[in-house]
Amino acid sequence: MFKFKFIFKMSMLFDQIKLLHSQKLYSNVIKVAEMVLKVSEHSTDILTAPHKFRILAYQGDSHYYLGNYRQAEAAYKTALTFKDACSSSKATQKPYDGLKDPMPDLDIKYHLHLCLVKLKDIKQALAVLQSVPSKQRKTKINMAIAKLHHQTGNIVHAVTAYNKVLKECPLAIEAAEGLLSLGVKGAEVNAMMLEMVGINGLEWISGWLKAHAYLFQQTEYPAAINTLKQLDDNSPLCNSNRLLVAIGKSYYFYGDRKNALIYLQRAYRLNPLMQDGLCTLAMCLYMEKHNRELEKLLPTSYTDESSIDSHMWIVLAFVCYSNSNYSKALCLAQKACSVDPRNIEALLLHGMILTSMKKYSEAILQFRKANDIASYLFDPHKGMVDCYIALHKMRNAVTAASNCCKQMNNHPKALTLYASILMKDPTTVGKAKILLERALTMDEYYLPAIYMVAQIYEQEGNYSPAVAILHKQALDQPTCRLYQMLGDLSVKQNQLEKAFDFYYSALNLDPNNKRVMESLESLGKPCNTSTATSADSTGPVLNGSLLDATFSGVNNAENESTPFNNAVHEEDTFMDSDHEGSGSDISI
């Protein structure tokens, strides 16, 4: 009887602390637990061993939910150490003979791993999870193990863990996407989720898996885009935020920022609080020079970076960068990279800022990190090439451009980038021409390649083919640069009337283009766009990107730099643009 009352009194104290924890009064739990645990050191009749173990766990939980990850880690480790010390004590087990495990540690190890992930100790986090015997691992532990192996590049172990998750939870779509990204065939993944397809409301799942199977092949972006757009047109999933973000990202990976922007903005309008796709949206807005729209991504309650979540640091960094506040943008980009070292947009922005600050060697390191994670993206390759050129390391630039072609499966952008380096050496201009012609066979409307081919024809004295290729593009996608180049060629052929028409057409598209104005003035003509006579002078004024003024996929702005003009300086980099008011031309 006395023993029962003794245990009952101990249980009352534990129950009160348990009540605080269940009511989420975490700061109260921390204070009370700390004092009760101290008292228990001097009196063994305060708490039983299992109760002490659970109070240590509650203490760890409370610190974790309050963001005190170091303190939470210490409390969880103390709880696990205490259990190990008590495991051989028979006295501990006597009052709890009916319990299989009076001190369960699976959830503690899971929360300990979360703390270690927050503290960027990925290796130790994985070790904690792997200390759980395989047969005892819950699905959430297998999912966490899969993600950590995926992050550290252990493909075989990641695939094994993802498979376990899908077998237990066939609708775990993140596990399915993880398998596809690691090269598992779409048919195999679909087979594991087959029973989900027949469920009412999940008819779209096969199309989603098919699209992501294409997406992760990195050479089938058009197929991925078409499949996702079919879901947007013909399924109940149409106009959903997740689907629109997936389409936008697919266009972004394919190098088409304009279409990426259309879908990402649609997604943002549906969910202004979205996180997935927000960094990509900020990147596209910045590249397309939509600075006002970029600033609107910041929350209305914004005062400084301490008042926003970490995922908004990249948005604020782009805003600061667009306003040439490099020091603050750099600080924010560094913070964003520390929170998520695998965030592509953060790494690219970090490299872009360092390039603007002329810290080219440091910028190369950031672009290389981005390239290691996403070799299928053009921007990291372009960043490295431009930095090497700025450092006058032409061999390194050639190597980087060659690697770009290999890793991007000879995409027109990659071939054109490689050609732009080869064009700098008279002995390799012929090879550059072959690469450009190859790029145009894949995309006959790719303007940067067209500009360079026209330049080569001009250097060879073959004005007629140069005029023909430029005039064809001017009819299909009129730009100021095309008309300016046609005007320059007409002057060299002594066809001054045609030159006047072309220059005036160029001014109609970009009335403030100084180079065209100077060309007209050199011919003794006024710079008045109202006198333009060309029937081809109408056309949209399109904006190009900052990161790659001549590599924006489709129609570019007339502020874009081209290799056609001879006033190209080797030290110019991809950062030179209207964002910074440099007014200088770049080779690519």
Side-chain angles (χ1 to χ4, degrees):
M1 186 67 177
F2 173 77
K3 182 178 179 182
F4 175 77
K5 290 181 178 179
F6 174 71
I7 295 173
F8 179 71
K9 289 181 179 179
M10 288 191 293
S11 178
M12 286 180 63
L13 176 57
F14 170 75
D15 289 342
Q16 289 301 311
I17 297 175
K18 182 179 180 181
L19 178 63
L20 292 174
H21 181 267
S22 65
Q23 296 300 314
K24 299 183 177 12
L25 301 176
Y26 298 127
S27 58
N28 289 271
V29 173
I30 291 170
K31 291 180 179 180
V32 174
E34 182 180 339
M35 292 184 281
V36 168
L37 290 170
K38 184 63 179 178
V39 172
S40 69
E41 293 177 5
H42 303 284
S43 177
T44 58
D45 61 351
I46 298 297
L47 297 170
T48 65
H51 285 168
K52 185 174 182 179
F53 170 79
R54 289 181 180 275
I55 289 174
L56 285 167
Y58 291 157
Q59 192 178 33
D61 291 345
S62 300
H63 278 301
Y64 177 81
Y65 290 121
L66 292 176
N68 306 324
Y69 303 118
R70 288 288 180 195
Q71 293 89 334
E73 176 194 4
Y76 287 137
K77 285 184 175 179
T78 301
L80 294 173
T81 302
F82 179 76
K83 178 180 178 178
D84 291 339
C86 294
S87 61
S88 60
S89 173
K90 294 181 180 180
T92 302
Q93 305 294 338
K94 284 183 180 179
Y96 300 92
D97 290 335
L99 293 179
K100 186 176 180 181
D101 185 359
M103 292 184 277
D105 59 3
L106 291 183
D107 287 338
I108 290 179
K109 288 184 176 181
Y110 181 78
H111 280 93
L112 175 56
H113 122 270
L114 292 177
C115 291
L116 292 166
V117 169
K118 291 286 186 180
L119 296 170
K120 304 294 183 290
D121 193 346
I122 304 301
K123 185 177 180 180
Q124 189 61 33
L126 187 55
V128 168
L129 293 175
Q130 289 177 321
S131 69
V132 178
S134 297
K135 292 183 179 180
Q136 297 179 21
R137 292 174 187 171
K138 297 180 180 179
T139 306
K140 66 179 181 181
I141 292 179
N142 283 323
M143 187 67 187
I145 289 174
K147 285 184 174 182
L148 293 177
H149 277 309
H150 196 162
Q151 185 175 339
T152 54
N154 298 321
I155 296 176
V156 175
H157 292 95
V159 169
T160 301
Y162 279 135
N163 278 329
K164 290 180 180 179
V165 173
L166 269 187
K167 287 179 181 178
E168 296 173 11
C169 298
L171 196 53
I173 196 165
E174 193 173 353
E177 291 173 1
L179 287 171
L180 292 171
S181 69
L182 292 172
V184 177
K185 293 182 179 179
E188 295 179 23
V189 178
N190 190 64
M192 286 187 279
M193 303 181 72
L194 194 59
E195 60 185 280
M196 297 293 102
V197 177
I199 297 177
N200 187 29
L202 292 178
E203 301 85 358
W204 50 269
I205 198 75
S206 292
W208 183 270
L209 293 175
K210 181 180 178 182
H212 280 76
Y214 284 133
L215 183 62
F216 291 121
Q217 288 181 28
Q218 300 176 4
T219 57
E220 299 291 342
Y221 292 122
I225 291 168
N226 289 335
T227 305
L228 290 169
K229 288 176 74 173
Q230 286 176 12
L231 290 176
D232 192 36
D233 294 335
N234 305 313
S235 81
L237 199 63
C238 66
N239 209 36
S240 76
N241 175 270
R242 290 285 179 187
L243 178 58
L244 295 175
V245 167
I247 298 173
K249 281 188 170 183
S250 299
Y251 271 120
Y252 175 68
F253 296 153
Y254 190 51
D256 187 348
R257 295 194 190 101
K258 288 181 174 61
N259 276 312
L261 195 54
I262 292 171
Y263 283 92
L264 290 172
Q265 284 183 311
R266 277 180 60 190
Y268 182 77
R269 284 192 291 269
L270 286 172
N271 180 17
L273 299 178
M274 74 178 196
Q275 293 187 19
D276 185 23
L278 183 65
C279 296
T280 308
L281 173 58
M283 171 72 82
C284 292
L285 287 171
Y286 177 76
M287 297 299 187
E288 299 300 318
K289 304 180 184 178
H290 299 318
N291 291 347
R292 290 185 179 179
E293 294 299 317
L294 177 61
E295 292 176 2
K296 290 179 182 178
L297 297 183
L298 291 173
T300 54
S301 58
Y302 166 75
T303 54
D304 55 45
E305 60 266 27
S306 63
S307 66
I308 58 177
D309 296 330
S310 58
H311 68 276
M312 294 296 295
W313 290 344
I314 297 175
V315 177
L316 180 57
F318 273 115
V319 171
C320 293
Y321 187 46
S322 66
N323 293 319
S324 300
N325 188 347
Y326 298 150
S327 58
K328 187 171 183 179
L330 180 62
C331 179
L332 288 163
Q334 289 172 336
K335 288 175 67 176
C337 289
S338 68
V339 171
D340 184 1
R342 296 179 64 82
N343 188 302
I344 299 299
E345 288 80 13
L347 291 169
L348 286 174
L349 177 58
H350 195 179
M352 291 158 60
I353 297 167
L354 290 170
T355 304
S356 293
M357 299 172 75
K358 301 192 183 300
K359 297 180 179 180
Y360 302 118
S361 297
E362 295 177 41
I364 288 172
L365 294 177
Q366 299 304 315
F367 291 128
R368 188 172 291 138
K369 289 179 183 178
N371 183 63
D372 290 340
I373 298 169
S375 60
Y376 50 85
L377 282 181
F378 175 74
D379 297 336
H381 297 285
K382 182 64 168 59
M384 285 189 287
V385 168
D386 285 331
C387 287
Y388 282 130
I389 292 174
L391 292 170
H392 303 286
K393 295 183 177 180
M394 298 307 295
R395 286 187 178 180
N396 298 85
V398 169
T399 301
S402 176
N403 289 336
C404 179
C405 291
K406 295 175 183 177
Q407 294 178 346
M408 293 188 65
N409 197 30
N410 290 322
H411 189 282
K413 284 189 174 186
L415 293 171
T416 306
L417 176 64
Y418 193 12
S420 71
I421 311 300
L422 297 177
M423 284 179 63
K424 295 179 182 295
D425 185 349
T427 62
T428 56
V429 171
K431 184 177 180 180
K433 185 177 180 181
I434 293 173
L435 292 174
L436 292 170
E437 289 173 345
R438 185 176 176 185
L440 289 175
T441 58
M442 291 185 277
D443 184 359
E444 62 177 319
Y445 297 103
Y446 188 48
L447 287 177
I450 289 164
Y451 294 149
M452 281 189 245
V453 167
Q455 181 184 4
I456 292 175
Y457 281 136
E458 179 198 11
Q459 291 172 348
E460 294 173 345
N462 295 327
Y463 297 138
S464 295
V467 170
I469 191 172
L470 292 172
H471 195 267
K472 179 180 182 299
Q473 295 301 319
L475 294 175
D476 294 333
Q477 47 177 349
T479 68
C480 176
R481 176 63 63 190
L482 287 170
Y483 283 120
Q484 176 208 324
M485 294 167 70
L486 285 168
D488 293 342
L489 287 169
S490 297
V491 170
K492 291 189 175 184
Q493 293 177 292
N494 201 30
Q495 297 174 349
L496 299 187
E497 289 301 322
K498 284 187 177 181
F500 295 147
D501 287 348
F502 288 136
Y503 285 141
Y504 285 131
S505 296
L507 283 181
N508 276 350
L509 292 169
D510 184 3
N512 298 317
N513 192 295
K514 293 182 180 179
R515 186 175 296 153
V516 177
M517 292 180 183
E518 290 171 358
S519 297
L520 279 170
E521 289 173 357
S522 68
L523 296 176
K525 287 286 184 177
C527 301
N528 184 354
T529 58
S530 63
T531 61
T533 60
S534 173
D536 300 326
S537 63
T538 59
V541 180
L542 300 168
N543 291 324
S545 70
L546 168 65
L547 178 63
D548 179 19
T550 63
F551 275 93
S552 59
V554 285
N555 299 346
N556 288 285
E558 294 332 304
N559 294 323
E560 69 187 355
S561 306
T562 73
F564 187 81
N565 188 278
N566 292 327
V568 175
H569 301 288
E570 200 170 72
E571 67 271 20
D572 288 332
T573 71
F574 76 106
M575 288 308 308
D576 294 329
S577 76
D578 290 349
H579 272 292
E580 301 168 36
S582 66
S584 63
D585 284 328
I586 57 177
S587 58
I588 290 296

